[in-house]
Structure formats: C-alpha cells, structure tokens
Amino acid sequence: MHPRIEDYALIGDEQTAALVGTDGSVDWLCLPRFDSAACFARLLGDDDNGHWRLAPKGADRCTRRAYRPDTLVLDTEWETAEGAVRVTDLMPQRDRSPDLVRVVEGLRGEVTMHSALRLRFDYGSVVPWVRRTDGHRVAVAGPDSAWLRSEPEVHSWGENFGTHAEFTVAAGQKVAFVLTWHPSHEPRPALVDPYEALEHSVADWRAWAARCRYDGPYRDAVVRSLITLKALTYKPTGGIVAAATTSLPEEPGGVRNWDYRYCWLRDSTLTLAALLAAGYVDEAEAWRDWLLRAVAGNPADLQIMYGLAGERRLPEYELPWLAGFDGSRPVRIGNDAVNQLQLDVYGEVMDTLSLAREAGMSAVPQVWELQRALLDFLRDAWRQPDEGLWEVRGRRRQFVHSKVMVWVAADRAVRTMEDHPELEGDLDGWRALRDEIHREVCEQGYDPERNTFTQYYGSRELDAALLFIPRVGFLPPDDPRVVGTIDAVARELTRDGLVQRYSTADDDEAEDAVDGLPGAEGTFLVCSFWLADALHMSGRTKEARELFERLVGLANDVGLLSEEYDPVAGRQLGNFPQAFSHIGLVHTALALSGDGDADNGPDADNGDEAG
C-alpha cells in the first residue's frame, strides 16, 4: 500500500526540509534549498528514485512517533520481539552545508537495524558514483556530492546502487549517522558532531517556542503550527514557502498536482498578522522585508509568487520518469501561475504594509512610495478580469474577491493618509476609487435573490474567498448580505461540514469550467478555518469553536496539516505541510481565545479580525 500523506513528518533547517515516513524512510529531500532538485524523491516515485530507510530489520511501520515537545526533532520508536529502539531525526541549523542527522538508540533488549541509502540526484533521475574515503561513503554526480558517515563506524556495503549497513544496538547504546551535502567541486565539508547537534537543536527550538505569547487552550496546536511555519522559512531571506513539496495531489490519480515550494503574496497579510499576534516580531519583519525586495519594480509587473530570494522566473515543466504520488501525474516542477494576473495581490500587499506600519514595525522609507505606485496602477487596472485567488487555468473573469481586495488597497491607502496626514497622496481620488469599487461589487457581485455574494459578476456560483468580505472590513459582520453569504457558503460549499474553494462537481462536462481542469479536489483546510472565523465574527462562536476543534483533530499524529482533506476517504490531500493551513489554525485559535485583536491593524476600530 502506498504511504498516505499523513504518514509523513517534517524535519528541516530553515533552508530546506525532509519528509520522514512512519516506516523510518526519508522519502523527500531537496538540497541545498527547498526549491532545489530532490536527492530523495521516493515520495513521487518508487524506491529507485531515492530514499533512506533506517529501521529494525524486517520491521514495517513504527510503533509510535512524536516530536520532542516544542521542537522539530522527531523521535520514531519500534517495539520488536527482540527489544525496542528509537531513531531520532533532525536537520541542525547549518553553518554552511546542510546535514541530515539520524541517531539510533537502543531502549530495551537487542535490536538489529538495517540502513538502506539510495541517493538519486536531480529528482531521482541520476545515480551517483560512490566511493570510500576517510571513513565516509562519498556520492558524486555532476554538481552534487553527499558524504555519509556513522559514529561509531558500522560496516557498510554497496548493493543495487545503494549503500547498506546492518548493526545491533542494545539498551543504552547509540549509533549516529550524518549525511552532508555540498557542491562536488569543493573540499570535504566540516564535520558535525551529531550528539552535540541534537542537544543544541532541542535547546534552540525550545527557546524559540518559549517566545510564543499565546497561552490559551490550544497552545500545543498553535506552537506546532508556528514551528512548522518557522521550518518553512528560508532563513537567508525571510521568505516563507507555501509547502515543502511539489505535486502531492489534490485528487489521488488526478492532474491537479502543483509545485508549492515558492513564496505567495496571497499569504502575506495573514502570515504577518499571525507572527505579530504570537509575538514573533523579528520573523514578521524578515517576511515584510522579503516582500518589499520581491515586489520592487514596476507595479504592472507584480507577480503572485516569487522564489525564495525573490526570483521571478519559475518556469513549469514535467518529470516524466516519476510515477507521481499514488499514481498522480504529471509531476510538475515550477509553476506557470507565476505569469497570471491576480488583482487581489495588490490588496494583500497594501494590507500587509499597512498592518506593519500600524504594528510599529521598523520604518522603511520606500514603503509609502511603493504603496502610491500600486494605487496609481490600480486606478485603471482594477476593471480587468483576472485569474483570481485560486489561480484558475480557465478564462479570466471578474472575480468578486479580486475586486474586494482592490477595494482593500484603496481603503488602506485612505486610512493611512487619514492617520498620517504628513504623507503625500491623492486622498480624494483614492476615496472616490474606494467608493466606486464598493458600489460596483455590491451591484454586480451580489445575488439579491439568494442573498449572497457570488464567485464572479453574473455568476450563481459561490467561492470560499467571499468569507473575507467582513474580515477585511468591506462590510460589517452583521450586515444581512454578509450573514447570507456565510450561510450560503456553509450550505452549498461544504462536504461533511468542511469547505471547498468552489464547486468543481460538474467541471468534467462543463464547456466553460471555472478552473479549466478535469476532476475534483478535496475540501480546503484554510477555507474551513475562514468559515470558523466568519462564524465567530458574526456572533456564532459556539459553531466556530466546534468547527475549529474538528479541524485541529484532522492533523496527523505529529500535528501537521496538508492543503486539503477528503472527508469521505478520511485522508489528507495536497502539498504538505501547508503553511496556509497552519496560518489559518493560528489565527482562528487566537481569535477564539480573544488574542486576535493584536493583528487587527488598520481595521481594529471595525472589529475586524485580520486587518
């Protein structure tokens, strides 16, 4: 049986990440960055596409596993007839080269362990040369090399283009393995003491987690989500990737498989708000600064996503040699959605920068100049149809959420000038723009017959993004049109109480399908958190809390959430772990606990939850 997405746990060093399965196999690892080619790609293929399994000989799934409290250090344990053993996995903070550390510890009796390492560079397509040198196994292919050693040294041998080792550990004994990547043209990287690395990693993560100022009833879930968000941060630049993976399917066996190892502007406001509300100002400033560098330039060229350092070119292509997760093809690298027009990102950037200013973050002189330039562009551009928040691959439309977020851009500019009259700008013109957009959306994006806003002008379809209407202050939560929209989304876009982005049920037959893709998808976890937020804002806190607690319960055994969930099959879907899902969890937990006011920014006087 193919592993399920929830069978995996994440480890990382804030520059890349690995996925470790319940069978003790590292099945995904891109080196040296999140968006680099994978050297372990079994996640999207088979054993020969690269993996590293370390487990008791003949054993299958582990008996139990857990992160050490408030860390990203993973303990996996097996109970066997001969005894018990633990494997501890981590990626310590790197000085220069990335290291994967695996420590085996005997707990009871004597257990024979087997290590099977198959390095396959370039997404499982390149078999390296392997040699012995200075107590290491060294694998080299093109620009990549990886060095493997153990302490104490254990006997290893080559077999079927892999490196194997077998050894016995008794209670109290330890054997540590270190796999280190570096460019093949450089000399051997500095050695890392695996036991010191473990000790320091535990201490560092716990010190970071202790900074969380939330101490409510959902603290464990909130801290786990914040640690996950931290693990998905590319430390050199402050950029935060949407997920650690590519092409994990939204529908098993389907084609909705995308590369999420990049940084989306759509996440910016909620990310900043969650970090600030939880007390992580340094991380919030790093994210804000990444955003400013990434969007610098002509406002007409603003992209919806960028690379880890702000790269703009993310060409999409397919890897035909990989069979895909659970047979889901194609496997895609890069993301053509980078070329789409999504007008909502202008509102999200304006909202983020306004929130940063109101939160008292360190001033950056060019921020207001950038905001003015964005508004100048939107004066005419806001009327264009676009691909919308969900990056549809059908034709462009007049999406209501996009228009609402352009309203947000104008609204935040107006509020900023009202609060800071020393700033220069076209206050009257921006007020007029804000009013014009508001009037048009209420006239063309609202269905009075059904008392709900719609997905796009003239449509009868719904969209979960409509739940942002009260959240961003476009209308108050108790407005009858808002209440009707919340009810309509809850009634028409839910499956077993969880929210879909929009309807895809008839897309196979529709000539003009909204997203231009065949098949269906699971319910979107972050959309379900948005529904909980909307229910709470509208005074239905009991319903909100019940939905939130159900969503927390959908996390896997180590507290991680993917992008989507299939309530029928009871399994996670989509890329994993998903930053947006965990941001949603943090925000809703803070709101339900009364700690959400800190992130309101310019909308605090309206009682909005996310500014």
Side-chain angles (χ1 to χ4, degrees):
M1 181 178 295
H2 197 281
R4 293 155 68 98
I5 291 171
E6 50 264 51
D7 288 340
Y8 289 99
L10 180 83
I11 58 173
D13 63 1
E14 294 182 67
Q15 295 190 48
T16 191
L19 294 187
V20 187
T22 54
D23 61 350
S25 182
V26 181
D27 288 348
W28 183 253
L29 175 60
C30 300
L31 293 171
R33 306 192 337 172
F34 291 105
D35 58 352
S36 299
C39 63
F40 298 143
R42 180 176 178 259
L43 180 74
L44 301 177
D46 57 28
D47 287 358
D48 200 44
N49 295 126
H51 72 292
W52 182 10
R53 185 158 192 258
L54 181 57
K57 185 177 180 180
D60 191 9
R61 294 174 63 95
C62 65
T63 306
R64 68 186 68 88
R65 64 175 182 170
Y67 287 113
R68 298 197 181 180
D70 290 355
T71 79
L72 200 67
V73 175
L74 179 70
D75 286 329
T76 305
E77 297 182 4
W78 285 264
E79 297 277 352
T80 73
E82 293 74 29
V85 67
R86 174 191 301 131
V87 175
T88 299
D89 290 313
L90 66 144
M91 295 189 72
Q93 290 286 335
R94 69 175 84 167
D95 291 326
R96 184 177 181 187
S97 299
D99 299 288
L100 172 57
V101 175
R102 315 195 73 182
V103 179
V104 182
E105 181 180 3
L107 302 177
R108 177 177 55 80
E110 289 189 358
V111 179
T112 300
M113 300 291 294
H114 187 87
S115 169
L117 170 67
R118 286 189 174 187
L119 282 161
R120 298 291 186 268
F121 296 117
D122 195 19
Y123 297 106
S125 67
V126 177
V127 181
W129 287 352
V130 181
R131 70 180 190 276
R132 291 181 183 269
T133 180
D134 298 331
H136 288 76
R137 288 274 184 166
V138 184
V140 177
D144 299 292
S145 67
W147 295 61
L148 174 71
R149 77 178 198 279
S150 62
E151 293 186 11
E153 187 173 354
V154 298
H155 173 65
S156 63
W157 69 93
E159 179 182 322
N160 294 329
F161 301 101
T163 299
H164 296 256
E166 200 163 285
F167 57 96
T168 300
V169 289
Q173 291 182 335
K174 294 182 181 181
V175 175
F177 292 85
V178 181
L179 180 69
T180 304
W181 177 95
H182 76 116
S184 60
H185 64 277
E186 293 183 357
R188 186 184 75 182
L191 299 181
V192 170
D193 183 311
Y195 303 107
E196 287 186 3
L198 172 58
E199 181 180 345
H200 290 159
S201 291
V202 170
D204 289 347
W205 277 110
R206 286 179 175 165
W208 187 85
R211 291 167 47 199
C212 177
R213 70 185 190 192
Y214 171 77
D215 194 29
Y218 311 112
R219 186 184 185 280
D220 288 347
V222 167
V223 170
R224 177 52 52 201
S225 291
L226 290 167
I227 288 174
T228 303
L229 192 60
K230 178 74 166 172
L232 294 174
T233 300
Y234 185 63
K235 188 175 183 180
T237 67
I240 302 173
V241 298
T245 57
T246 179
S247 299
L248 291 183
E250 297 176 14
E251 179 185 36
V255 300
R256 297 168 182 261
N257 316 315
W258 315 109
D259 194 345
Y260 275 19
R261 297 171 299 156
Y262 308 112
C263 308
W264 265 258
L265 299 191
R266 74 180 183 215
D267 306 2
S268 57
T269 306
L270 299 182
T271 301
L272 192 77
L275 290 171
L276 288 173
Y280 291 99
V281 178
D282 291 345
E283 288 76 9
E285 288 198 350
W287 172 239
R288 187 275 313 268
D289 293 345
W290 173 88
L291 177 68
L292 288 172
R293 293 191 301 271
V295 305
N298 188 338
D301 297 329
L302 189 72
Q303 297 183 178
I304 66 166
M305 73 180 87
Y306 296 86
L308 305 178
E311 298 91 344
R312 291 173 177 256
R313 297 185 186 274
L314 309 174
E316 183 178 305
Y317 57 97
E318 298 175 4
L319 303 183
W321 62 86
L322 291 176
F325 185 91
D326 206 9
S328 304
R329 303 178 73 173
V331 171
R332 294 183 174 95
I333 303 301
N335 200 315
D336 273 349
V338 72
N339 300 311
Q340 291 186 353
L341 173 65
Q342 295 181 23
L343 291 172
D344 65 289
V345 300
Y346 292 87
E348 285 143 5
V349 170
M350 288 290 293
D351 202 12
T352 301
L353 297 179
S354 296
L355 174 59
R357 180 183 289 109
E358 298 308 311
M361 292 172 59
S362 60
V364 178
Q366 68 269 28
V367 167
W368 183 241
E369 182 180 349
L370 169 64
Q371 291 180 282
R372 290 174 58 187
L374 294 177
L375 262 295
D376 288 341
F377 171 76
L378 287 174
R379 284 184 192 272
D380 297 318
W382 78 271
R383 294 188 178 278
Q384 298 181 42
D386 69 345
E387 278 89 2
L389 171 73
W390 303 123
E391 299 163 12
V392 299
R393 300 208 173 190
R395 66 179 175 87
R396 291 181 175 179
R397 302 175 191 260
Q398 300 284 2
F399 285 105
V400 170
H401 173 262
S402 295
K403 306 306 183 190
V404 168
M405 293 308 295
V406 176
W407 176 90
V408 168
D411 178 73
R412 301 312 186 252
V414 168
R415 289 175 183 237
T416 298
M417 285 202 67
E418 290 173 343
D419 293 340
H420 302 275
E422 72 278 7
L423 296 174
E424 295 184 1
D426 183 10
L427 180 58
D428 290 339
W430 294 341
R431 281 175 176 154
L433 175 64
R434 179 180 65 173
D435 293 345
E436 182 181 9
I437 297 169
H438 197 281
R439 182 168 54 253
E440 180 177 295
V441 169
C442 291
E443 290 175 355
Q444 300 190 42
Y446 174 71
D447 182 351
E449 180 182 334
R450 296 160 62 217
N451 188 30
T452 181
F453 285 91
T454 60
Q455 185 178 37
Y456 54 91
Y457 291 174
S459 169
R460 290 185 61 84
E461 297 292 334
L462 297 176
D463 193 314
L466 299 170
L467 296 169
F468 269 79
I469 287 174
R471 185 172 188 154
V472 299
F474 185 85
L475 288 172
D478 60 354
D479 186 288
R481 292 165 293 182
V482 170
V483 175
T485 300
I486 295 171
D487 288 340
V489 168
R491 181 177 61 250
E492 300 181 30
L493 275 189
T494 57
R495 291 172 55 199
D496 193 26
L498 303 178
V499 183
Q500 297 175 282
R501 296 186 298 175
Y502 48 83
S503 175
T504 61
D506 298 321
D507 281 358
D508 282 329
E509 294 77 31
E511 293 182 2
D512 192 24
V514 170
D515 62 13
L517 294 166
E521 60 188 24
T523 59
F524 257 63
L525 292 173
V526 73
C527 295
S528 300
F529 284 115
W530 294 347
L531 177 57
D533 294 335
L535 290 169
H536 175 59
M537 291 179 67
S538 61
R540 297 155 67 178
T541 298
K542 182 177 183 294
E543 294 175 63
R545 192 177 303 278
E546 289 173 350
L547 176 56
F548 173 75
E549 291 179 352
R550 182 185 175 192
L551 290 166
V552 172
L554 298 181
N556 72 353
D557 58 320
V558 291
L560 301 182
L561 292 168
S562 65
E563 181 181 29
E564 303 180 21
Y565 190 79
D566 182 346
V568 176
R571 62 183 296 184
Q572 296 194 23
L573 298 171
N575 283 302
F576 175 87
Q578 179 81 0
F580 220 12
S581 298
H582 285 281
I583 292 166
L585 186 154
V586 172
H587 183 278
T588 306
L590 293 171
L592 290 174
S593 300
D595 294 336
D597 292 342
D599 66 18
N600 287 349
D603 288 321
D605 56 343
N606 280 352
D608 296 322
E609 298 288 319

